[in-house]
Amino acid sequence: QVQLVESGGGLVQAGGSLRLSCAASGSIFSDNTMGWYRQAPGKQRELVATITSGGSTNYADSVKGRFPISRDNAKNTVYLQMNSLKPEDTGVYYCNAVQYYGNIKYDYWGQGTQVTVSS
């Protein structure tokens, strides 16, 4: 099992910044993909950004250039630096980790952290 604990959410004005952190513990492999998803009220959960153990990144078009993702493999921690925040970035942000046991894919999720951007 893998446990993910997020921190760093909060209330911020439009144009401001927040930094989210997610620490993984338990049976975490050195080879995995970690990332962030978000869910706004009344909407489906959507990808924000992901990063592999090797540092390859993937971003939603809506956050490219604003939300760089990074990780510290030694600490099993992934970060999301959120800059130039907009009201439409409001939602619950979930940390995600994906790793494989042989051919079997396992998805792990954190509890989520609320991000609210006021206009």
Side-chain angles (χ1 to χ4, degrees):
Q1 277 290 347
V2 173
Q3 295 78 42
L4 302 174
V5 178
E6 302 114 331
S7 61
L11 172 65
V12 65
Q13 288 189 330
S17 297
L18 284 174
R19 189 192 194 209
L20 303 184
S21 300
C22 172
S25 62
S27 302
I28 191 78
F29 291 173
S30 58
D31 183 13
N32 59 50
T33 298
M34 296 184 71
W36 295 91
Y37 290 71
R38 67 187 180 189
Q39 187 166 17
K43 295 188 176 181
Q44 290 189 333
R45 192 174 297 188
E46 63 177 7
L47 167 75
V48 176
T50 62
I51 184 168
T52 68
S53 303
S56 297
T57 57
N58 182 44
Y59 293 96
D61 288 342
S62 59
V63 306
K64 279 181 183 176
R66 298 190 298 128
F67 289 11
I69 189 170
S70 61
R71 64 188 288 166
D72 184 334
N73 290 333
K75 295 181 179 180
N76 290 325
T77 300
V78 63
Y79 306 96
L80 186 70
Q81 177 65 45
M82 302 189 293
N83 303 316
S84 303
L85 281 159
K86 305 174 182 179
E88 52 263 43
D89 295 318
T90 294
V92 179
Y93 283 67
Y94 296 92
C95 181
N96 172 259
V98 174
Q99 57 189 29
Y100 286 82
Y101 296 81
N103 293 326
I104 302 174
K105 176 184 176 182
Y106 281 78
D107 258 301
Y108 300 97
W109 294 93
Q111 297 279 8
T113 185
Q114 177 70 44
V115 171
T116 303
V117 184
S118 63
S119 57

